[in-house]
Amino acid sequence: MNNFNEDRNEKGLLSKILSYVWGDKKDNFYYNIGGYEFTLEQLKHGLLRGNKKGNTFFRYFSSKDERAQLLGGSADPRILFLCNDLPEVPIHIECFDDPYTLDEKFDYFLSEYFLAKIEIDPVNQDISLPKVFEKYAGDFGGTYESMLKFIWRWYDNSQYTL
């Protein structure tokens, strides 16, 4: 028997492909939420982004996955900016310590983030956006106009018009 067949019988071809896409369970750190285990990617793309496709071609939770019951209504794309700037993420997360002021703190965080990361050149009528808008365009409506409408809600735009 050749090595390929031995390897295939030992682990299974489909299992090898899936472990390449999602990683081996033994290599991941898991968070226990509601009695279910989640990787960081499953939390971000599965729960926080409303089970949208992440770094794979597939959704993180199938309709048969019990963890899908934890999905809320619509996803809030503001979470993408909180999780975007490693290694500053822990600093960002620490300020979200009170559920009653969560929206207010998110609004402040986004306003500051956009002022720091978005460049507007009114002379050339050009706007430079962070890569997160390109990578997750569908989370913002999929069009440049919908991205700008999202940004304009938090950008200090007193000197600009849309």
Side-chain angles (χ1 to χ4, degrees):
M1 194 176 264
N2 65 32
N3 285 344
F4 177 77
N5 285 335
E6 288 174 16
D7 231 15
R8 190 171 156 202
N9 289 337
E10 182 180 308
K11 190 165 181 182
L13 185 58
L14 180 60
S15 179
K16 286 182 115 178
I17 292 170
L18 292 177
S19 70
Y20 173 76
V21 174
W22 282 291
D24 281 329
K25 185 171 175 101
K26 67 179 186 224
D27 296 333
N28 289 323
F29 180 84
Y30 285 83
Y31 299 87
N32 188 311
I33 299 174
Y36 298 104
E37 289 186 338
F38 297 92
T39 64
L40 191 55
E41 289 293 302
Q42 290 169 334
L43 285 173
K44 180 179 178 183
H45 300 294
L47 290 182
L48 298 177
R49 291 186 58 235
N51 205 28
K52 293 189 174 128
K53 295 176 184 175
N55 300 327
T56 68
F57 296 108
F58 308 101
R59 298 190 184 282
Y60 279 85
F61 307 122
S62 72
S63 58
K64 296 177 183 175
D65 191 326
E66 290 183 12
R67 298 174 297 174
Q69 69 183 335
L70 298 176
L71 293 170
S74 61
D76 186 343
R78 295 181 298 175
I79 195 68
L80 293 169
F81 301 96
L82 183 65
C83 299
N84 194 40
D85 284 339
L86 292 173
E88 297 162 356
V89 169
I91 297 166
H92 299 326
I93 291 174
E94 285 177 5
C95 69
F96 293 93
D97 56 356
D98 180 4
Y100 298 106
T101 61
L102 190 63
D103 276 327
E104 180 183 322
K105 288 181 179 180
F106 249 133
D107 290 346
Y108 176 78
F109 173 78
L110 240 56
S111 178
E112 293 297 311
Y113 182 91
F114 288 167
L115 285 173
K117 304 284 184 177
I118 294 174
E119 296 178 23
I120 298 178
D121 180 356
V123 174
N124 295 315
Q125 297 183 350
D126 186 44
I127 299 176
S128 297
L129 301 177
K131 293 270 186 213
V132 68
F133 283 100
E134 182 181 332
K135 185 172 184 177
Y136 300 109
D139 289 27
F140 304 101
T143 67
Y144 196 62
E145 182 180 345
S146 62
M147 288 180 211
L148 290 176
K149 285 181 180 179
F150 178 84
I151 292 166
W152 232 239
R153 290 170 49 195
W154 291 283
Y155 193 85
D156 178 11
N157 55 14
S158 57
Q159 57 185 335
Y160 305 108
T161 58
L162 187 58

